Structures are given as C-alpha cells and as structure tokens.
Amino acid sequence: MKVISLFTKQLEKSLAHFPTLINLYGLYYKDIVKREVELGHIIPEDRILVIGGGPLPCTAMEIADQTGAKIVVVDKDPKAVEIARRVIKRYNMEDQIKVKLADGINISAVDYSVIHVALQVCNRTKVLQNILSKAPQGARILVRSQRDVLKRMYSALPAWCKNCRFVEQKNSTMKATLLLIKGQEKIGDDEKVCIIANRRLVGYSST
C-alpha cells in the first residue's frame, strides 16, 4: 500500500471517534464533490458505486447530501468497513448509503450508472480495467488524480486516462477528477470497449 494511502486510512480511523472532527474533515470534500457532481452530471436517479470509501466515507456522504442518489461504498479493509458503517449509522444515512466489504479489482459494476474511484485506491489500473469490462454502456466513471509532485506516493493511473475530460481540484492534494464514459466501438463483427473522451472514442489496453 502506498504511504499516503496508508497514512490517510489510519488518520480517518482515529478521527472516526470524534463527530466534531468528522464534520470538519467532511468540509474538505464539499467543493471537491460539488465539481465532481457537475462533471459527472449526477442526478437523484443514479445508482452510485464508491470504491475506496475508507473509515470515513465523506465523499459518499457528500454526494448523497448534494444529489439524493443511492450509494454503495466498498472497501477491502474489514476494519475500515466496520467503522464506516458506524459513521453512516451515526448520521442516519443507512437508507441512502450501504457499506460493503469488497475489492475494486473484482467487484461487479453492472448495476451502477456512476462509479467513483478514490485517490487512495491501490492498483487503480486493474480497478479501472475491471470496471470498464463490467459496467453498463454509458456508465460514468470519476477518478481522482494526484498532483505530479505526489505521483510516486499513489497508485499510478493508466496512460489512456490522459485523454479524458476532467475538472481541476484546487486547494487539495488532488490535481483533478477525471471523467471516463464507457462506450462501444464496432470493428467488423467485433465490439471493442472504449472510453468516450472529449466527445470521441478512445481505445485502451486491457492488459
């Protein structure tokens, strides 16, 4: 696990015991999520999957507050899932947000119209390949990217992400949030999964 990802998870586990600190920590995500909601055109009818929710699922909580959409949060750390469920219950958001133990590398995204991938997710290339192989056509995938000076401290993004639309995220450790839209390109009798980026189809390698 990358060092900042590990540090962030430990910090969130500590903060989870103090509601006032949770509220303050959540403020950091308010404008970030607002830009992501606008970029992804998220509406109340969307079904959203958040991968890498951590012990404090502030992103999911903020998306829920801003859109009213139903959200499933997953994390592969059992302790983080346990703490996140307590936080969601404390804020009376159990009807809107569900927290599950799962790994983004093999989770099925077939039931979701929007998938959000956290900055701290490890092996984001494999996670994105899995999502693109299983998500429905037209699914919007929001991926947070790190600043260049911090790129060695987070899991790398595949090269084909550079073609994607994005919104800049100022005043944070994030550089931007990228938008990938799953499309299909017909080549002869075969269909190839592609990303709709900047209003054109961009192929990607699944290997």
Side-chain angles (χ1 to χ4, degrees):
M1 181 179 289
K2 294 290 186 176
V3 61
I4 291 187
S5 299
L6 181 60
F7 173 78
T8 300
K9 185 157 286 190
Q10 293 304 319
L11 173 64
E12 291 184 357
K13 285 178 179 177
S14 299
L15 293 178
H17 300 288
F18 306 99
T20 301
L21 295 180
I22 295 174
N23 293 337
L24 290 173
Y25 190 65
L27 290 175
Y28 168 78
Y29 290 95
K30 186 171 289 292
D31 288 340
I32 291 170
V33 169
K34 181 180 179 181
R35 297 184 191 104
E36 293 173 340
V37 167
E38 293 172 351
L39 178 67
H41 299 288
I42 300 175
I43 59 175
E45 291 74 24
D46 278 316
R47 273 189 53 80
I48 302 171
L49 174 65
V50 174
I51 298 176
L56 294 183
C58 294
T59 291
M61 293 166 68
E62 195 59 44
I63 294 174
D65 278 341
Q66 293 188 24
T67 69
K70 298 282 188 179
I71 302 169
V72 172
V73 180
V74 300
D75 200 285
K76 63 182 182 181
D77 179 347
K79 188 63 176 179
V81 169
E82 177 189 337
I83 295 171
R85 285 173 176 165
R86 291 204 301 264
V87 171
I88 294 301
K89 184 175 182 179
R90 182 182 297 158
Y91 283 83
N92 298 312
M93 301 184 79
E94 293 169 290
D95 291 338
Q96 196 170 359
I97 301 174
K98 305 298 181 184
V99 184
K100 298 181 178 181
L101 179 65
D103 193 328
I105 290 177
N106 50 41
I107 193 170
S108 174
V110 69
D111 294 325
Y112 302 96
S113 55
V114 177
I115 300 101
H116 187 289
V117 181
L119 187 63
Q120 289 81 18
V121 167
C122 291
N123 209 329
R124 286 185 290 174
T125 295
K126 287 189 176 180
V127 169
L128 289 172
Q129 288 169 347
N130 174 58
I131 292 169
L132 285 165
S133 69
K134 297 176 181 176
Q137 186 171 352
R140 289 151 282 156
I141 304 162
L142 296 164
V143 187
R144 288 174 174 169
S145 68
Q146 69 275 14
R147 297 192 177 279
D148 292 341
V149 295
L150 299 175
K151 64 182 180 180
R152 293 186 178 181
M153 298 184 180
Y154 291 97
S155 174
L157 286 170
W160 38 263
C161 280
K162 67 182 180 182
N163 297 304
C164 299
R165 291 173 56 194
F166 67 92
V167 62
E168 190 176 357
Q169 296 288 13
K170 299 178 180 178
N171 303 319
S172 76
T173 56
M174 305 170 205
K175 180 179 182 180
T177 299
L178 313 178
L179 173 65
L180 293 71
I181 302 176
K182 180 177 175 178
Q184 298 288 139
E185 182 179 29
K186 196 162 184 68
I187 305 173
D189 294 329
D190 298 324
E191 285 192 343
K192 179 182 179 183
V193 175
C194 292
I195 302 161
I196 300 172
N198 298 321
R199 299 186 179 181
R200 65 189 180 89
L201 288 171
V202 177
Y204 77 97
S205 173
S206 60
T207 58

